[in-house]
Amino acid sequence: MTIHICKTYQDMSRRAADFMAAQITLKPDSVLGLATGSTPLGLYAELVKRCAGKQISFRSIRTVNLDEYCGLTPDDEQSYSYFMHRNLFDRVDIPKENVHLPDGSNPDAAAETARYDRLIESLGGIDLQLLGIGHDGHIGFNEPSDAFSVGTVKIRLTDSTVEANSRFFSSPEAVPEYAYSMGCRTILNAGRILLLANGSGKAGILEKALFGAVTPEVPASVLQLVSDKVTVVVDREAGEEILRKHPGAVTVE
Ligand code: F6R
């Protein structure tokens, strides 16, 4: 596992964009696993800029997103589908048929989770999976639990996640209770994994996930099983606990 601690959020976003741009250039028809949330916004803005400058093209790229809220249609402004279109897909040259997310409006969880797993398999799996990390250690919407998920699952969001995500809604009560999420095994099967984190609020959980026990109580700790294909890029604030406890394990920029 390589861990880069960047000076600022902008530096983190540029370094992450370099990583993704390399993947896109070397394999123009890559399957990219993508994430929502505030963490990747700077990365997406950077990719949009590089696409506009013709440094990269998404013409043959295929994407699969990690998750989607249950009960929201893709055109709902709170949906992850809407988020992805507004922040990335509508601003780069990706064909719309190449982008995929779980369908939150499908009430049949068994059918939807099976469909999404089949879809990822039919694309040949994920070349590069982008991840953020939740305050409770979740990846995708895989919340702390007593077992790691395998394929796509319907998950009940924890109070901590509802609280954290309520900043995008009118109130915590408006946050959907359930979400569809890609499973941990699917994430681990990706060719490479890029984990981003910023802000001091993530410092403790990041250190615990990367250096603590591998346990479904801290879902991101599962990344330790495939540490050779994981690259972690964080800003100074998110990296402060790792730097304090494991100074030899990181590259500080
Ligand atoms: C979103 C996702 C989540 C977020 C995590 C961090 O698609 O998969 O695991 O990455 O909740 O969210 P932010 O970036 O908003 O702190």
Side-chain angles (χ1 to χ4, degrees):
M1 185 178 306
T2 29
I3 306 176
H4 298 279
I5 302 186
C6 302
K7 267 203 197 72
T8 65
Y9 175 74
Q10 285 71 26
D11 292 335
M12 176 198 91
S13 302
R14 273 193 292 270
R15 180 168 262 282
D18 291 345
F19 196 92
M20 273 212 159
Q23 174 72 38
I24 293 169
T25 302
L26 296 176
K27 189 174 180 213
D29 62 347
S30 289
V31 176
L32 301 180
L34 298 178
T36 59
S38 350
T39 310
L41 282 173
L43 159 65
Y44 291 158
E46 191 65 34
L47 292 174
V48 167
K49 208 161 76 187
R50 293 183 192 196
C51 189
K54 306 268 182 258
Q55 291 154 269
I56 51 171
S57 169
F58 286 77
R59 256 192 320 274
S60 306
I61 292 292
R62 284 85 46 81
T63 68
V64 283
N65 260 79
L66 281 167
D67 40 21
E68 179 60 282
Y69 288 117
C70 291
L72 300 189
T73 55
D75 58 349
D76 188 308
E77 291 190 15
Q78 311 290 0
S79 75
Y80 282 170
S81 172
Y82 189 91
F83 174 101
M84 288 307 302
H85 281 85
R86 191 184 50 202
N87 291 298
L88 186 67
F89 301 148
D90 289 348
R91 303 169 67 197
V92 295
D93 57 350
I94 192 162
K96 293 300 171 264
E97 63 275 17
N98 287 11
V99 314
H100 308 281
L101 291 96
D103 178 2
S105 67
N106 186 352
D108 184 342
E112 182 53 22
T113 54
R115 180 196 72 84
Y116 206 57
D117 285 339
R118 272 197 312 272
L119 173 94
I120 295 170
E121 210 183 302
S122 73
L123 294 172
I126 298 166
D127 292 300
L128 170 60
Q129 177 64 54
L130 173 68
L131 294 176
I133 182 169
H135 292 100
D136 58 4
H138 68 234
I139 46 174
F141 264 135
N142 292 286
E143 297 281 29
S145 144
D146 48 15
F148 287 115
S149 63
V150 178
T152 305
V153 274
K154 180 176 178 179
I155 282 170
R156 190 175 211 278
L157 307 189
T158 60
D159 292 346
S160 133
T161 301
V162 169
E163 175 62 32
N165 291 8
S166 65
R167 66 192 192 279
F168 301 114
F169 291 80
S170 53
S171 68
E173 293 70 47
V175 182
E177 246 180 287
Y178 291 91
Y180 290 129
S181 175
M182 199 186 277
C184 288
R185 187 170 70 190
T186 310
I187 293 171
L188 294 197
N189 279 345
R192 295 214 64 82
I193 298 172
L194 176 62
L195 172 67
L196 305 183
N198 67 288
S200 56
K202 300 284 174 70
I205 192 65
L206 195 64
E207 190 277 330
K208 204 168 160 188
L210 302 183
F211 294 92
V214 175
T215 164
E217 283 299 315
V218 182
S221 67
V222 79
L223 297 173
Q224 293 182 42
L225 296 185
V226 294
S227 57
D228 54 330
K229 58 182 182 183
V230 177
T231 299
V232 182
V233 181
V234 302
D235 72 355
R236 272 284 157 82
E237 285 76 24
E240 67 194 2
E241 194 70 5
I242 295 180
L243 191 56
R244 197 172 64 78
K245 291 192 175 163
H246 318 275
V250 299
T251 308
V252 182
E253 298 181 353

mmCIF file of all heavy atoms in Angstrom, residues 182-199:
data_model
loop_
_atom_site.group_PDB
_atom_site.id
_atom_site.type_symbol
_atom_site.label_atom_id
_atom_site.label_comp_id
_atom_site.label_asym_id
_atom_site.label_seq_id
_atom_site.Cartn_x
_atom_site.Cartn_y
_atom_site.Cartn_z
ATOM 1 N N MET A 182 -22.312 -1.427 -3.889
ATOM 2 C CA MET A 182 -21.400 -2.452 -4.379
ATOM 3 C C MET A 182 -20.825 -3.182 -3.161
ATOM 4 O O MET A 182 -20.574 -2.551 -2.130
ATOM 5 C CB MET A 182 -20.279 -1.739 -5.142
ATOM 6 C CG MET A 182 -19.487 -2.578 -6.078
ATOM 7 S SD MET A 182 -18.122 -1.588 -6.738
ATOM 8 C CE MET A 182 -18.900 -0.705 -8.073
ATOM 9 N N GLY A 183 -20.608 -4.478 -3.273
ATOM 10 C CA GLY A 183 -20.100 -5.249 -2.139
ATOM 11 C C GLY A 183 -18.588 -5.149 -1.995
ATOM 12 O O GLY A 183 -17.874 -4.740 -2.920
ATOM 13 N N CYS A 184 -18.104 -5.552 -0.815
ATOM 14 C CA CYS A 184 -16.657 -5.457 -0.525
ATOM 15 C C CYS A 184 -15.835 -6.341 -1.465
ATOM 16 O O CYS A 184 -14.761 -5.944 -1.907
ATOM 17 C CB CYS A 184 -16.382 -5.838 0.919
ATOM 18 S SG CYS A 184 -16.937 -4.588 2.075
ATOM 19 N N ARG A 185 -16.346 -7.552 -1.779
ATOM 20 C CA ARG A 185 -15.541 -8.416 -2.648
ATOM 21 C C ARG A 185 -15.387 -7.802 -4.039
ATOM 22 O O ARG A 185 -14.316 -7.874 -4.646
ATOM 23 C CB ARG A 185 -16.124 -9.823 -2.742
ATOM 24 C CG ARG A 185 -15.171 -10.742 -3.508
ATOM 25 C CD ARG A 185 -15.563 -12.185 -3.443
ATOM 26 N NE ARG A 185 -16.784 -12.434 -4.204
ATOM 27 C CZ ARG A 185 -17.448 -13.582 -4.151
ATOM 28 N NH1 ARG A 185 -17.038 -14.562 -3.371
ATOM 29 N NH2 ARG A 185 -18.546 -13.746 -4.866
ATOM 30 N N THR A 186 -16.460 -7.207 -4.534
ATOM 31 C CA THR A 186 -16.389 -6.560 -5.856
ATOM 32 C C THR A 186 -15.346 -5.441 -5.827
ATOM 33 O O THR A 186 -14.548 -5.291 -6.757
ATOM 34 C CB THR A 186 -17.769 -5.984 -6.248
ATOM 35 O OG1 THR A 186 -18.737 -7.011 -6.053
ATOM 36 C CG2 THR A 186 -17.784 -5.492 -7.680
ATOM 37 N N ILE A 187 -15.343 -4.670 -4.757
ATOM 38 C CA ILE A 187 -14.371 -3.574 -4.617
ATOM 39 C C ILE A 187 -12.952 -4.149 -4.602
ATOM 40 O O ILE A 187 -12.060 -3.693 -5.327
ATOM 41 C CB ILE A 187 -14.655 -2.751 -3.336
ATOM 42 C CG1 ILE A 187 -15.997 -2.012 -3.465
ATOM 43 C CG2 ILE A 187 -13.513 -1.770 -3.053
ATOM 44 C CD1 ILE A 187 -16.481 -1.336 -2.193
ATOM 45 N N LEU A 188 -12.751 -5.191 -3.796
ATOM 46 C CA LEU A 188 -11.406 -5.780 -3.684
ATOM 47 C C LEU A 188 -10.943 -6.421 -4.983
ATOM 48 O O LEU A 188 -9.740 -6.540 -5.221
ATOM 49 C CB LEU A 188 -11.366 -6.843 -2.580
ATOM 50 C CG LEU A 188 -11.571 -6.409 -1.145
ATOM 51 C CD1 LEU A 188 -11.077 -7.490 -0.194
ATOM 52 C CD2 LEU A 188 -10.882 -5.105 -0.813
ATOM 53 N N ASN A 189 -11.896 -6.848 -5.820
ATOM 54 C CA ASN A 189 -11.529 -7.478 -7.096
ATOM 55 C C ASN A 189 -11.056 -6.480 -8.147
ATOM 56 O O ASN A 189 -10.559 -6.872 -9.206
ATOM 57 C CB ASN A 189 -12.722 -8.256 -7.680
ATOM 58 C CG ASN A 189 -12.858 -9.623 -7.025
ATOM 59 O OD1 ASN A 189 -11.930 -10.087 -6.369
ATOM 60 N ND2 ASN A 189 -14.009 -10.240 -7.185
ATOM 61 N N ALA A 190 -11.214 -5.189 -7.886
ATOM 62 C CA ALA A 190 -10.768 -4.174 -8.856
ATOM 63 C C ALA A 190 -9.255 -4.309 -9.085
ATOM 64 O O ALA A 190 -8.511 -4.684 -8.172
ATOM 65 C CB ALA A 190 -11.100 -2.779 -8.333
ATOM 66 N N GLY A 191 -8.821 -3.979 -10.283
ATOM 67 C CA GLY A 191 -7.396 -4.073 -10.617
ATOM 68 C C GLY A 191 -6.537 -3.191 -9.721
ATOM 69 O O GLY A 191 -5.459 -3.581 -9.275
ATOM 70 N N ARG A 192 -7.018 -1.956 -9.491
ATOM 71 C CA ARG A 192 -6.339 -1.046 -8.574
ATOM 72 C C ARG A 192 -7.396 -0.287 -7.786
ATOM 73 O O ARG A 192 -8.527 -0.100 -8.261
ATOM 74 C CB ARG A 192 -5.474 -0.023 -9.331
ATOM 75 C CG ARG A 192 -4.325 -0.619 -10.095
ATOM 76 C CD ARG A 192 -3.122 0.316 -10.112
ATOM 77 N NE ARG A 192 -2.580 0.525 -8.787
ATOM 78 C CZ ARG A 192 -1.732 -0.322 -8.161
ATOM 79 N NH1 ARG A 192 -1.355 -1.427 -8.733
ATOM 80 N NH2 ARG A 192 -1.273 -0.034 -6.962
ATOM 81 N N ILE A 193 -7.014 0.186 -6.603
ATOM 82 C CA ILE A 193 -7.942 0.921 -5.747
ATOM 83 C C ILE A 193 -7.272 2.225 -5.323
ATOM 84 O O ILE A 193 -6.113 2.219 -4.879
ATOM 85 C CB ILE A 193 -8.326 0.081 -4.505
ATOM 86 C CG1 ILE A 193 -9.055 -1.208 -4.956
ATOM 87 C CG2 ILE A 193 -9.202 0.889 -3.548
ATOM 88 C CD1 ILE A 193 -9.311 -2.215 -3.845
ATOM 89 N N LEU A 194 -7.981 3.322 -5.500
ATOM 90 C CA LEU A 194 -7.468 4.634 -5.111
ATOM 91 C C LEU A 194 -8.376 5.181 -4.013
ATOM 92 O O LEU A 194 -9.554 5.461 -4.266
ATOM 93 C CB LEU A 194 -7.480 5.565 -6.338
ATOM 94 C CG LEU A 194 -7.077 7.021 -6.113
ATOM 95 C CD1 LEU A 194 -5.633 7.131 -5.618
ATOM 96 C CD2 LEU A 194 -7.239 7.826 -7.419
ATOM 97 N N LEU A 195 -7.839 5.296 -2.811
ATOM 98 C CA LEU A 195 -8.618 5.788 -1.669
ATOM 99 C C LEU A 195 -8.225 7.227 -1.358
ATOM 100 O O LEU A 195 -7.046 7.522 -1.154
ATOM 101 C CB LEU A 195 -8.350 4.899 -0.442
ATOM 102 C CG LEU A 195 -8.927 5.365 0.902
ATOM 103 C CD1 LEU A 195 -10.456 5.314 0.905
ATOM 104 C CD2 LEU A 195 -8.393 4.498 2.052
ATOM 105 N N LEU A 196 -9.209 8.106 -1.323
ATOM 106 C CA LEU A 196 -8.953 9.517 -1.017
ATOM 107 C C LEU A 196 -9.619 9.898 0.308
ATOM 108 O O LEU A 196 -10.690 9.380 0.635
ATOM 109 C CB LEU A 196 -9.549 10.430 -2.105
ATOM 110 C CG LEU A 196 -9.147 10.200 -3.560
ATOM 111 C CD1 LEU A 196 -9.804 11.262 -4.443
ATOM 112 C CD2 LEU A 196 -7.644 10.213 -3.713
ATOM 113 N N ALA A 197 -8.996 10.823 1.030
ATOM 114 C CA ALA A 197 -9.631 11.357 2.239
ATOM 115 C C ALA A 197 -9.061 12.742 2.505
ATOM 116 O O ALA A 197 -7.881 12.985 2.255
ATOM 117 C CB ALA A 197 -9.368 10.451 3.441
ATOM 118 N N ASN A 198 -9.906 13.625 2.996
ATOM 119 C CA ASN A 198 -9.416 14.959 3.359
ATOM 120 C C ASN A 198 -10.113 15.437 4.621
ATOM 121 O O ASN A 198 -11.208 14.978 4.947
ATOM 122 C CB ASN A 198 -9.630 15.959 2.210
ATOM 123 C CG ASN A 198 -11.090 16.237 1.956
ATOM 124 O OD1 ASN A 198 -11.811 15.380 1.427
ATOM 125 N ND2 ASN A 198 -11.546 17.412 2.326
ATOM 126 N N GLY A 199 -9.434 16.304 5.337
ATOM 127 C CA GLY A 199 -10.024 16.908 6.535
ATOM 128 C C GLY A 199 -9.712 16.122 7.797
ATOM 129 O O GLY A 199 -9.591 14.892 7.768
#
